[in-house]
Amino acid sequence: MSAAVAHEPLTRSVEDYLKAIYQLSPEGRPASTSEIANLLALSPPSVTGMVKRLSEHGLLEHVPYRGVQLTDAGRRAALRMVRRHRLIEAYLVEFLGYSWDTVHEEAERLEHAVSETMIERMAGALGNPSVDPHGDPIPAADGSILERACIALSDVPIGENVEISRVHESQPERLRYIASLGLRPGVQVTVVDRQPFDDLVTIEVGTDKQVIGRELGHALLCARKVKP
Amino acid sequence: MSAAVAHEPLTRSVEDYLKAIYQLSPEGRPASTSEIANLLALSPPSVTGMVKRLSEHGLLEHVPYRGVQLTDAGRRAALRMVRRHRLIEAYLVEFLGYSWDTVHEEAERLEHAVSETMIERMAGALGNPSVDPHGDPIPAADGSILERACIALSDVPIGENVEISRVHESQPERLRYIASLGLRPGVQVTVVDRQPFDDLVTIEVGTDKQVIGRELGHALLCARKVKP
DNA sequence: CCGAGATTTTAGGTTAGCCTAATACTGTAT
DNA sequence: ATACAGTATTAGGCTAACCTAAAATCTCGG
Ligand SMILES: [Mn+2]
Ligand SMILES: [Mn+2]
Ligand SMILES: [Mn+2]
Ligand SMILES: [Mn+2]
């Protein structure tokens, strides 16, 4: 099926495309040209052009006007980049004094420049962590990834107590705001009220109450407590 | 004098050219096209083309058929890259278990990808070192560099005891060989014999005797003892 | 089932960086 | 003084990655 097998090293652009497509469709649903263009801040024609090249290299399949899906080779390469990105973020926070709002930008560049050796040394220094500073799971070196079941804070029923497990946000300003509310992976919150419009939920964090809007409520992914 | 002032970020290629030219002529003597081509493993016409662009950007001055010299802006940019390269090498050895023969390749890529913030964090974690794992001086953040006076091992007179201060070599295989002889920055050696041909010198390292040839003798830079 | 509006692709163009082959220059050796 | 060897530049071409403008296709409401 896949055309080219011998893999010359991928370019920075190619690596970012594959990672973006993976993140747009972790389960394999096709990603559209404009979604990709939007995520990477490129024009749609640029994406069409790159997609054509990538499909010739066997990294994805493209049905014109319908979207793209990663092949196995493409998904492997994408997961490799996700591993790199998240390990770098974790390393920067643990060893170089970064906070979670500044690591993304740095990792976005370093993920392409670091050798396999260095990534594994960093993983070792961290004790092979399973999640990054935003709570996102770090794929193993073999490409396996453990996605824990989670629910958006916006969808948590009234009265339920949940633990924030992931924060899906990369803009520094927003991340600082979230931190200022005391919200980060591992924190317990209880939903005490919900509005019938705009996905507004009121939560209790420790002793504080906060009203959370739609966007933020969808960015905060929570783990439900197991029924005893 | 220099044309363009506003500095868009330099590309990886440009940064490597500037660093190479600096290393070919630290004191400002012109570097030739073919020296640059040779050091960067590029064709001479490629170098001529890049040199033209760089001189238009005010980073160097090119006298056709005569060679190139960095401008102040070019030298600043070059020293910035040298600082990055050497700090990264030092960091990898200190914190990620690298040995001196493997750091160069990694640093050659990372030097372009790391932010100013990260470089200074690494410098801080290292305690602002003044030399890298090969004994080469690390320029300060302001671009100043302290070159200690040194003499090639090939040129040390018979009977003199010197300290190896720098090892000018980047090939891993050769560096491993040098290390296997017990030679590295800080080690004391005594020249016990010299041949009249081929710059051969015999040295004493601890209790061992070694014969050192021309190439190696020029790569090992030594500090002479101050007369008491 | 038909057309408007949104999405996507095609067409055509740019820039950075590289290459080889051909040409021009320089300095030296007869 | 001149030719030759070595070095450098010019000429011409390529690929990756981007762009804008124009054309094609899809979707959905009426
Ligand atoms: Mn990236
Ligand atoms: Mn993250
Ligand atoms: Mn480099
Ligand atoms: Mn070094």
Side-chain angles (χ1 to χ4, degrees):
Chain A
M1 211 84 230
S2 32
V5 180
H7 45 110
E8 319 112 56
L10 306 176
T11 66
R12 177 180 172 163
S13 279
V14 167
E15 289 175 339
D16 280 337
Y17 271 92
L18 294 174
K19 189 157 60 83
I21 294 165
Y22 174 78
Q23 277 163 355
L24 285 170
S25 61
E27 331 86 23
R29 175 198 41 105
S32 78
T33 302
S34 54
E35 281 171 336
I36 302 167
N38 191 50
L39 188 56
L40 295 175
L42 298 172
S43 73
S46 299
V47 173
T48 302
M50 177 63 94
V51 153
K52 188 170 297 181
R53 261 172 286 160
L54 295 184
S55 75
E56 279 156 14
H57 285 264
L59 292 164
L60 51 78
E61 278 172 51
H62 179 215
V63 182
Y65 293 100
R66 279 288 125 83
V68 303
Q69 274 178 277
L70 296 177
T71 61
D72 278 357
R75 189 170 9 262
R76 259 197 311 280
L79 278 162
R80 176 170 166 273
M81 296 314 294
V82 171
R83 172 172 169 81
R84 296 173 148 249
H85 186 100
R86 292 179 182 169
L87 276 172
I88 291 165
E89 289 189 342
Y91 187 91
L92 293 175
V93 166
E94 177 79 14
F95 293 106
L96 287 171
Y98 278 72
S99 48
W100 77 344
D101 57 305
T102 51
V103 284
H104 179 79
E105 188 195 356
E106 190 83 44
E108 199 54 57
R109 276 173 289 106
L110 283 176
E111 62 189 359
H112 312 286
V114 157
S115 71
E116 221 61 46
T117 300
M118 183 163 168
I119 278 288
E120 298 313 325
R121 295 273 167 90
M122 289 167 62
L126 288 161
N128 294 298
S130 58
V131 296
D132 83 354
H134 310 99
D136 294 315
I138 299 176
D142 67 7
S144 61
I145 183 168
L146 193 83
E147 297 272 4
R148 286 180 300 174
C150 58
I151 179 177
L153 182 55
S154 301
D155 299 330
V156 175
I158 289 187
E160 194 162 331
N161 177 256
V162 293
E163 178 180 318
I164 295 176
S165 56
R166 304 172 64 168
V167 179
H168 256 192
E169 180 56 64
S170 59
Q171 292 181 40
E173 197 187 338
R174 291 182 175 198
L175 282 167
R176 278 195 299 277
Y177 174 71
I178 294 168
S180 79
L181 300 181
L183 302 173
R184 62 185 146 276
V187 167
Q188 310 273 326
V189 305
T190 306
V191 173
V192 296
D193 196 19
R194 309 173 51 85
Q195 312 274 311
F197 293 106
D198 294 321
D199 291 349
L200 254 51
V201 298
T202 306
I203 59 172
E204 218 169 59
V205 194
T207 59
D208 290 4
K209 278 200 179 139
Q210 301 291 343
V211 179
I212 303 295
R214 192 199 322 267
E215 266 200 282
L216 184 47
H218 283 282
L220 296 171
L221 302 181
C222 306
R224 307 179 83 148
K225 294 299 156 51
V226 188
K227 302 278 161 25
Chain B
M1 211 87 230
S2 35
V5 181
H7 46 109
E8 320 113 56
L10 305 177
T11 66
R12 179 182 169 159
S13 280
V14 167
E15 289 175 340
D16 280 337
Y17 271 92
L18 294 174
K19 189 157 59 84
I21 294 165
Y22 174 79
Q23 276 162 356
L24 285 170
S25 61
E27 331 84 23
R29 179 206 30 116
S32 77
T33 303
S34 53
E35 281 171 335
I36 302 167
N38 191 50
L39 188 56
L40 294 175
L42 298 172
S43 73
S46 299
V47 173
T48 303
M50 177 63 94
V51 153
K52 188 170 296 181
R53 260 172 287 159
L54 295 184
S55 75
E56 279 157 15
H57 285 265
L59 292 164
L60 51 76
E61 277 172 49
H62 179 216
V63 183
Y65 294 100
R66 281 287 125 83
V68 303
Q69 276 179 277
L70 295 177
T71 61
D72 277 358
R75 188 169 10 261
R76 258 197 311 280
L79 278 161
R80 176 170 165 273
M81 295 315 295
V82 171
R83 172 172 171 79
R84 295 172 150 250
H85 187 99
R86 292 179 182 169
L87 276 172
I88 291 165
E89 288 190 343
Y91 187 90
L92 294 176
V93 167
E94 177 79 12
F95 293 106
L96 288 171
Y98 279 72
S99 48
W100 79 343
D101 56 304
T102 52
V103 284
H104 180 79
E105 189 195 354
E106 191 82 44
E108 199 55 57
R109 278 173 288 107
L110 283 176
E111 62 190 0
H112 312 286
V114 157
S115 71
E116 221 62 45
T117 300
M118 183 163 167
I119 277 289
E120 298 312 326
R121 294 272 168 90
M122 289 167 63
L126 288 161
N128 295 299
S130 58
V131 296
D132 83 356
H134 310 100
D136 294 316
I138 298 175
D142 68 7
S144 62
I145 184 168
L146 193 82
E147 298 273 4
R148 285 178 301 172
C150 57
I151 179 177
L153 182 55
S154 302
D155 299 331
V156 175
I158 289 188
E160 193 161 331
N161 177 254
V162 294
E163 177 179 319
I164 295 177
S165 56
R166 303 171 65 168
V167 179
H168 256 190
E169 180 55 64
S170 59
Q171 292 181 40
E173 197 187 336
R174 292 183 175 198
L175 282 167
R176 279 194 299 277
Y177 175 70
I178 294 169
S180 78
L181 299 180
L183 302 173
R184 63 185 146 275
V187 166
Q188 309 273 328
V189 304
T190 305
V191 173
V192 295
D193 196 17
R194 308 174 53 85
Q195 313 275 310
F197 292 105
D198 294 321
D199 291 349
L200 254 51
V201 298
T202 306
I203 60 171
E204 217 169 59
V205 194
T207 59
D208 289 5
K209 277 199 179 141
Q210 302 291 343
V211 179
I212 304 293
R214 193 198 322 266
E215 266 200 281
L216 183 47
H218 284 283
L220 297 170
L221 302 181
C222 306
R224 308 179 83 148
K225 294 298 157 52
V226 188
K227 304 277 161 24

